[in-house]
């Protein structure tokens, strides 16, 4: 499977998508024979709709075709980061303050998983309130991964 220039594709698409009010959450080459380009988009407020994906697809497809960064035929998929998206930086934790999260963190040599409500974010770390109301203050250095939890 030939590898596509993901960094160049990102650099090509970012300005147009930013002008439309979107950011690129992730871009990856996938699918059978590696012929699918998946673009996960995000926006500062709210969640990504089907209309958002269609709008971005209508702009990204022609830009990619014109730039000829992917010489063979490919399938373009535009999606949201998902209901249980990974939280990658402080800004994303701040954005989802008050949402249910699943956090994996270190305690000494051990890994612990905590699920609850993200109740604060500051320069020291985050606080998560568990199901019994217990608040856990977790320093940034101890966090391994965090993601949103889809609510029913």
């Amino acid at each position: 499977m030939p590898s596509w220039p993901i960094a160049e594709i990102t650099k090509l698409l970012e300005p147009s998508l930013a002008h439309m009010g979107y950011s690129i959450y992730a871009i990856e080459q996938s699918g059978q024979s590696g012929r699918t380009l998946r673009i996960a988009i995000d926006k500062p407020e709210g969640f990504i709709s089907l209309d958002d994906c269609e709008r971005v697809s209508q702009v990204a497809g022609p830009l990619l075709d014109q730039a000829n960064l992917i010489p063979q035929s490919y399938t373009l998929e535009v999606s949201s980061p998902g209901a249980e998206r990974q939280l990658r930086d402080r800004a994303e934790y701040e954005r989802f303050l008050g949402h249910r999260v699943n956090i994996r963190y270190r305690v000494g040599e051990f890994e612990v998983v905590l699920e609850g409500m993200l109740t604060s974010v500051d320069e020291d770390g985050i606080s998560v309130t568990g199901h019994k109301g217990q608040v856990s203050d977790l320093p940034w250095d101890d966090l391994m991964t965090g993601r949103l939890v889809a609510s029913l």
Side-chain angles (χ1 to χ4, degrees), residues 64-79:
L64 290 164
D65 293 344
Q66 183 178 4
N68 201 28
L69 293 173
I70 304 172
Q72 67 271 38
S73 65
Y74 66 95
T75 301
L76 176 62
E77 290 181 2
V78 178
S79 67

Side-chain angles (χ1 to χ4, degrees), residues 17 51 56 62 94 126 134:
L17 297 188
D51 287 340
V56 168
E94 288 173 346
I126 65 171
Q134 181 180 3

